[in-house]
Amino acid sequence: MARSELTQRIIDRLRAIPKGTVATYGGIAAASGNPRGARTVVWVLNSASRAEALPWHRVVNRRGGISLSPGRGYELQRALLESEGVEFDERGRIDLDRFGWDYLR
DNA sequence: AACCTGACTTCGG
DNA sequence: TCCGAAGCCAGGT
């Protein structure tokens, strides 16, 4: 299966997210060339996170929250992030100013 | 080619 | 800040 240019770039960006930091779906998409490709990032995570050994747990939504619902990955993702030092507030959200990786700089 | 699926995002109320 | 509607994207059917 030939991967689109956007898909390949997204994979490269995902691999570059440093341990202990998080990136947003839209941020990864923007840094990969298409600011509106957030949903493509989701697609990539669902179709190649295992085969490409991607750090899928380091991707959160724009509000710094985990998008996976409880019972379908939320607990695991949160545990993995906390084990890397990422902190969650009482509302279950991450302060992107502290842990968000600014891959654009 | 039309239609559907997602771990999304922005906008308006 | 919360909610729904609408927009967007690649790949699969």
Side-chain angles (χ1 to χ4, degrees):
Chain A
M1 251 317 218
R3 286 182 294 214
S4 71
E5 196 60 35
L6 177 59
T7 298
Q8 185 56 59
R9 297 248 237 152
I10 287 175
I11 290 177
D12 293 336
R13 285 294 182 176
L14 289 172
R15 281 183 173 141
I17 305 174
K19 179 181 179 182
T21 70
V22 296
T24 63
Y25 300 90
I28 289 294
S32 300
N34 190 328
R36 303 182 219 150
R39 312 207 67 165
T40 300
V41 174
V42 172
W43 184 87
V44 169
L45 291 177
N46 275 307
S47 59
S49 60
R50 180 187 272 270
E52 303 290 338
L54 304 175
W56 60 273
H57 59 289
R58 298 185 188 135
V59 187
V60 298
N61 61 45
R62 206 55 179 157
R63 293 160 317 191
I66 290 177
S67 291
L68 287 169
S69 45
R72 293 205 302 112
Y74 176 90
E75 297 83 355
L76 175 60
Q77 180 170 16
R78 178 161 180 160
L80 287 171
L81 287 175
E82 295 187 313
S83 72
E84 295 186 349
V86 176
E87 298 166 25
F88 291 74
D89 63 22
E90 44 302 318
R91 299 172 69 187
R93 303 204 293 210
I94 300 167
D95 182 349
L96 295 180
D97 289 325
R98 294 178 57 199
F99 304 100
W101 176 43
D102 185 354
Y103 32 78
L104 292 178
R105 84 180 112 181

